[in-house]
């Protein structure tokens, strides 16, 4: 009996089994992250009976992979935030800080900056905000209805609520919004619900006579009733309705 030959065959056999098990595991993981089309259709039919239209193709069959993050408020240090914008010399009236050419109003986690400055493009808006101390590295820029928008993103997903709108006219520019920086991303895999199990919650909200225009997943700080320094931003579905409303639902199981 040729033991050397048998040993070689056994080695290749065990190697083939290992490769098969790896591929099988990958296939199982993929299947667990995909919802069949019939489930999505049934969900859409349920909502349509309640007067909520779900356009075909708006729901992705795959369950997204997204983990929670921690964010830091751009206004974590109020003195530093105001000082970057106004310098060392300014006056204060309640929650408004100002000098001769600029003012900063702080309301909870939101701000309004008004300046004697004219902005004519998105590039100028970005440069102006960076000069005021904002770090706009992980952002998406856009223009909408005459305003320049800067939205925070992390690994391709929006951080809902973290955005700055800039509008300029007659030599005056206003920037308003809230802005957060990502300080930590979780390495632990988060168990995410598929959109088909989240959308039926619209029925409980009493929503009807409208259509869902988009469904996206991102991050959202849940409790914004008080000013925060650092907070967790959890995976969240944002549902945009045809009447302009935004509905947010936690995406974790």
């Amino acid at each position: 009996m040729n033991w050397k030959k048998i040993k070689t065959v056994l080695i290749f056999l065990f190697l083939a089994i290992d490769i098969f098990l790896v591929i099988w595991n990958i296939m199982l993981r993929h299947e667990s992250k995909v919802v069949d089309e019939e489930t999505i259709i049934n969900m859409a039919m349920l909502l349509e009976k309640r007067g909520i239209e779900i356009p075909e193709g708006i729901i992705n069959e795959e369950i997204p992979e997204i983990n929670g993050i921690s964010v830091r408020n751009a206004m974590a240090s109020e003195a530093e935030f105001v000082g970057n914008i106004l310098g060392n010399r300014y006056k204060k009236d309640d929650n408004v800080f100002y000098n001769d050419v600029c003012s900063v109003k702080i309301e909870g986690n939101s701000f309004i900056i008004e300046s004697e400055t004219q902005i004519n493009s998105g590039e100028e808006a970005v440069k102006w905000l960076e000069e005021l101390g904002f770090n706009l590295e992980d952002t998406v820029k856009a223009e909408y209805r005459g305003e320049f928008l800067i939205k925070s993103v992390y690994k391709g997903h929006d951080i809902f609520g973290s955005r700055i709108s800039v509008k300029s006219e007659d030599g005056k520019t206003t920037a308003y919004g809230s802005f957060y920086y990502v300080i930590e991303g979780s390495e632990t895999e988060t168990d995410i619900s598929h959109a088909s199990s989240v959308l039926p919650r619209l029925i409980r909200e009493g929503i009807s006579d409208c259509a869902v225009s988009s469904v996206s997943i991102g991050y959202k700080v849940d409790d914004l009733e008080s000013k925060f320094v650092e907070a967790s931003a959890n995976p969240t579905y944002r549902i945009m309705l045809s009447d302009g409303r935004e509905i947010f639902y936690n995406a974790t199981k």
Side-chain angles (χ1 to χ4, degrees):
M1 186 176 292
N2 190 336
W3 290 106
K4 185 175 182 180
K5 186 175 182 181
I6 293 174
K7 183 179 179 181
T8 301
V9 171
L10 288 174
I11 290 174
F12 279 103
L13 177 61
F14 288 134
L15 180 61
I17 291 173
D18 286 340
I19 293 173
F20 171 79
L21 290 175
V22 169
I23 295 174
W24 181 253
N25 184 53
I26 292 173
M27 291 176 64
L28 286 177
R29 286 176 58 85
H30 177 72
E31 288 180 1
S32 68
K33 295 183 180 300
V34 175
V35 171
D36 60 273
E37 186 178 358
E38 184 178 358
T39 298
I40 297 175
I41 293 174
N42 290 337
M43 178 273 302
M45 292 175 62
L46 172 65
L47 267 67
E48 287 175 4
K49 289 180 180 178
R50 301 299 182 96
I52 305 172
E53 181 185 351
I54 307 292
E56 184 178 352
I58 204 170
I59 307 298
N60 196 319
E61 293 182 2
E62 292 189 4
I63 300 174
E65 295 185 12
I66 179 173
N67 300 329
I69 59 175
S70 296
V71 296
R72 183 174 178 83
N73 196 334
M75 298 187 296
S77 170
E78 189 175 278
E80 182 179 348
F81 180 77
V82 173
N84 286 335
I85 299 170
L86 300 178
N88 296 325
R89 295 184 178 181
Y90 56 84
K91 298 178 181 180
K92 180 181 179 182
D93 183 6
D94 195 16
N95 62 335
V96 179
F97 307 80
Y98 62 95
N99 57 26
D100 293 337
V101 295
C102 189
S103 68
V104 182
K105 183 177 182 179
I106 295 177
E107 296 181 328
N109 297 296
S110 301
F111 57 81
I112 302 174
I113 303 170
E114 295 183 340
S115 176
E116 301 288 338
T117 304
Q118 179 65 40
I119 300 297
N120 298 310
S121 67
E123 290 77 10
E124 289 184 8
V126 169
K127 182 179 179 181
W128 177 64
L129 289 171
E130 289 178 337
E131 290 173 351
L132 297 183
F134 289 96
N135 181 349
L136 305 181
E137 181 177 353
D138 296 317
T139 57
V140 171
K141 292 81 173 177
E143 185 175 352
Y144 181 70
R145 294 184 177 180
E147 293 190 8
F148 305 108
L149 308 178
I150 294 92
K151 302 188 300 180
S152 298
V153 297
Y154 180 70
K155 293 187 176 180
H157 298 294
D158 286 356
I159 303 176
F160 301 129
S162 180
R163 58 182 284 173
I164 306 173
S165 299
V166 180
K167 59 181 180 180
S168 189
E169 58 184 0
D170 300 328
K172 294 183 179 182
T173 296
T174 300
Y176 61 94
S178 302
F179 202 68
Y180 319 135
Y181 300 110
V182 176
I183 57 175
E184 184 181 15
S186 174
E187 297 297 330
T188 304
E189 186 173 347
T190 305
D191 200 5
I192 300 297
S193 300
H194 187 260
S196 61
S197 65
V198 174
L199 282 165
R201 300 182 196 176
L202 294 172
I203 297 174
R204 296 202 301 266
E205 301 282 347
I207 294 172
S208 61
D209 301 323
C210 66
V212 173
S213 55
S214 70
V215 178
S216 59
I217 194 168
Y219 308 93
K220 188 174 185 296
V221 178
D222 290 333
D223 183 11
L224 291 179
E225 292 183 1
S226 58
K227 187 176 179 180
F228 73 91
V229 175
E230 296 180 4
S232 297
N234 300 313
T236 302
Y237 279 110
R238 178 178 64 182
I239 303 169
M240 298 287 293
L241 302 179
S242 56
D243 58 14
R245 281 180 290 175
E246 289 181 306
I247 310 294
F248 296 93
Y249 291 125
N250 193 309
T252 57
K253 290 184 178 178

